Amino acid sequence: MSQENHKEETKELKNGMVRGLQNRHVQLIAIAGTIGTGLFLGAGRSINLTGPSIILVYLTTGLFMYFMMRAIGEMLYYDPDQHTFINFITKYVGKGWGYFAGWSYWISLIFMGMAEITAVATYVQYWFPTWPSWMIQIVFLLLLSLVNLIAVRVFGETEFWFAMIKIVAILALIATGIFMILTNFETSQGPVSLRNIYHNFEFLPHGWMKFLMAFQMVFFAYQMIEFVGITTSETQNPRQVLPKAIKEIPIRIIIFYVGALLSIMAIFPWRELPVNESPFVMVFKLVGIKWAAALINFVVLTSAASALNSTLYSTGRHFYQIANENPNQLFEKMKVNRLSRAGVPSRAILFSVAVIMFSAFITVIPGISDAFALITASSSGVYIAIYILTMIAHQKYRLSEDFMADGYLMPHYKWLNPITIAFMIFVFISLFLQESTVLGAIGSSIWIVGFGIYSQLKFRK
């Protein structure tokens, strides 16, 4: 490696962090960030809700998430040293809402991390059923903590290979579907054909309510799509990497989500698709892979580990930002507002890990585990509030003196911004339509109103 390249690679940001991520890391993280574990396990359930029109739900939701990413991308392009989009809420919407968004986002990520580490333990127990869940959770947390603490480049390399496993699994499913269609493959359900998708087609086979409920399920499959924006500040050339990573989001949605769903529905008539079994497992079993269940369990294990790895990366940086923006004696004593020699917010990461580690003990206590499930569900609704604040921040940025006319501009922002905000509100309302999400919707509403008022009062002067 030349001295010039080495200098570029280790170039520091204003806040002392190191640009250690390469373009290939971010591009794979961007691809994997649009693919949730739910695709592997819950595709049958989402197809069952509303049939082939689920593709329209995925495309519509994906489009609005893309609009949001264009807004985040424009602001990060203007100031590529920012390692979190929350800073823009503070700057353009106000300190009160910035404080609300910073703490809410960090807490939501913490609960997401708790849910992910619990899922990791479940997937490991597929092979080792006698291993205690709490022990698996602690070991995985310690391993991924090391990945995040050593250097950002180690995180990038780990995430690169986690992402590769997910991508290969989906491409294998799509290739299998194409092969079956071209060879007129016969299954126990009949011939594999695109006719299985449109035969006896009904746009709303289970009514409008199920169709509307599908939006919130799909919306949360895209959750954490904004993570690619968080990583770009630690890349070597953020203004080159960021536009490419965001521009390709629509094509990734079409290939990975639409391609996978079309393949599944071509192989199985969608009305016969069981909701309690992974369609990926069923497809690979059909082509003679007897260990298909173990294979997909490995894929979802790496997918959950990848999500947890990304969560640790993100929680550490957000808590570091909170500690710097709201200095106090406790943060000074904990030293969470400082970086390690490798340019990593190690103390902030370790504190976040310690909080997430509580999940190892919470889930074994009766009663508390139910409360934990409610809080986790509530954090999903809070996420929507943060996304809405981000769109408002972008609108205010466009009207500010900071506006960079030759930057990576979001097209037609004057009408796309309010439409995107309206869509987010619609998804939030849809949380009240389903019994499994209504308690979480109420919980998140209480948090948004209560903590929102507190944050405004705290900074009213």
Side-chain angles (χ1 to χ4, degrees):
M1 184 186 290
S2 70
Q3 192 173 357
E4 187 180 337
N5 284 343
H6 180 72
K7 280 181 183 176
E8 177 68 21
E9 185 177 293
T10 58
K11 185 182 174 184
E12 287 190 359
L13 283 75
K14 290 175 189 173
N15 58 22
M17 290 189 190
V18 176
R19 297 197 193 277
L21 290 177
Q22 296 176 4
N23 180 42
R24 68 183 178 89
H25 293 148
V26 175
Q27 297 308 327
L28 261 288
I29 288 169
I31 294 170
T34 58
I35 306 166
T37 308
L39 178 63
F40 298 101
L41 297 177
R45 189 175 289 107
S46 60
I47 291 168
N48 183 264
L49 262 181
T50 189
S53 59
I54 193 69
I55 291 169
L56 180 63
V57 177
Y58 269 97
L59 287 173
T60 305
T61 309
L63 185 65
F64 283 108
M65 296 303 271
Y66 171 66
F67 293 154
M68 185 189 73
M69 284 308 300
R70 286 299 300 259
I72 291 174
E74 181 177 348
M75 292 187 290
L76 285 170
Y77 190 92
Y78 149 70
D79 189 357
D81 278 347
Q82 294 295 342
H83 58 277
T84 163
F85 61 94
I86 301 295
N87 292 354
F88 297 113
I89 296 173
T90 305
K91 187 172 183 179
Y92 298 112
V93 187
K95 285 187 177 179
W97 286 118
Y99 183 83
F100 167 85
W103 276 109
S104 297
Y105 193 70
W106 181 76
I107 291 167
S108 294
L109 286 172
I110 288 292
F111 282 112
M112 198 179 291
M114 287 180 166
E116 284 151 3
I117 194 61
T118 306
V120 164
T122 304
Y123 302 139
V124 171
Q125 284 176 326
Y126 175 87
W127 292 293
F128 306 101
T130 58
W131 288 12
S133 175
W134 64 266
M135 183 186 76
I136 298 167
Q137 291 181 44
I138 289 171
V139 169
F140 255 86
L141 268 174
L142 292 175
L143 286 172
L144 292 178
S145 299
L146 286 174
V147 166
N148 275 272
L149 290 171
I150 297 167
V152 69
R153 188 168 182 174
V154 176
F155 161 81
E157 202 62 39
T158 307
E159 203 55 29
F160 176 87
W161 291 106
F162 277 157
M164 189 68 79
I165 291 166
K166 278 200 281 191
I167 291 162
V168 168
I170 294 171
L171 292 177
L173 174 88
I174 294 168
T176 302
I178 293 168
F179 168 78
M180 286 177 160
I181 291 167
L182 294 176
T183 57
N184 297 316
F185 197 94
E186 288 264 352
T187 73
S188 56
Q189 301 293 331
V192 174
S193 169
L194 291 172
R195 188 172 181 273
N196 288 334
I197 301 169
Y198 59 81
H199 181 61
N200 291 331
F201 177 79
E202 283 183 77
F203 185 72
L204 300 168
H206 302 300
W208 274 104
M209 196 61 76
K210 294 282 186 183
F211 180 72
L212 296 177
M213 281 161 54
F215 277 93
Q216 53 91 5
M217 184 184 288
V218 170
F219 184 87
F220 295 116
Y222 286 115
Q223 205 165 301
M224 283 287 281
I225 195 173
E226 76 281 359
F227 180 66
V228 65
I230 297 168
T231 59
T232 49
S233 70
E234 293 180 66
T235 58
Q236 295 163 30
N237 301 293
R239 282 186 172 160
Q240 289 177 24
V241 173
L242 181 67
K244 187 175 189 296
I246 293 174
K247 277 178 186 174
E248 292 176 0
I249 286 174
I251 194 70
R252 288 173 194 141
I253 289 168
I254 291 168
I255 292 172
F256 293 107
Y257 277 112
V258 177
L261 292 169
L262 286 174
S263 296
I264 290 164
M265 288 188 285
I267 293 165
F268 289 90
W270 66 269
R271 292 178 191 274
E272 278 81 48
L273 200 63
V275 297
N276 56 353
E277 190 177 349
S278 166
F280 280 73
V281 172
M282 292 187 287
V283 169
F284 291 134
K285 275 182 179 175
L286 285 173
V287 291
I289 301 175
K290 293 178 181 177
W291 39 274
L295 171 67
I296 297 306
N297 191 74
F298 172 72
V299 172
V300 293
L301 171 60
T302 56
S303 181
S306 165
L308 180 63
N309 196 31
S310 301
T311 301
L312 295 183
Y313 175 97
S314 195
T315 49
R317 278 145 184 82
H318 277 88
F319 197 66
Y320 170 76
Q321 187 67 31
I322 289 168
N324 276 296
E325 287 186 351
N326 306 279
N328 59 51
Q329 287 186 336
L330 180 62
F331 289 160
E332 281 293 332
K333 283 181 182 177
M334 293 165 62
K335 297 180 180 177
V336 289
N337 56 350
R338 300 182 193 178
L339 297 172
S340 68
R341 288 181 183 177
V344 171
S346 52
R347 295 292 183 103
I349 291 171
L350 286 170
F351 179 77
S352 300
V353 168
V355 178
I356 291 172
M357 203 173 280
F358 273 111
S359 69
F361 308 103
I362 287 171
T363 49
V364 297
I365 304 170
I368 293 182
S369 61
D370 295 336
F372 168 65
L374 171 61
I375 294 166
T376 306
S378 300
S379 68
S380 298
V382 175
Y383 237 91
I384 298 175
I386 295 164
Y387 285 162
I388 290 170
L389 285 170
T390 304
M391 298 307 296
I392 295 169
H394 174 258
Q395 203 147 5
K396 288 182 176 285
Y397 157 75
R398 271 296 186 103
L399 301 172
S400 73
E401 293 179 358
D402 296 334
F403 172 56
M404 187 179 180
D406 60 344
Y408 177 51
L409 304 183
M410 177 187 180
H412 312 295
Y413 87 97
K414 285 185 179 178
W415 57 275
L416 284 182
N417 258 20
I419 290 173
T420 304
I421 290 170
F423 177 77
M424 303 282 184
I425 293 168
F426 154 70
V427 174
F428 189 86
I429 292 168
S430 74
L431 293 173
F432 291 89
L433 301 178
Q434 200 168 348
E435 195 178 336
S436 60
T437 56
V438 69
L439 280 177
I442 294 167
S444 58
S445 299
I446 293 168
W447 174 266
I448 292 163
V449 173
F451 190 56
I453 292 170
Y454 169 79
S455 301
Q456 293 305 303
L457 292 174
K458 183 178 173 69
F459 291 93
R460 65 181 173 181
K461 291 181 183 179

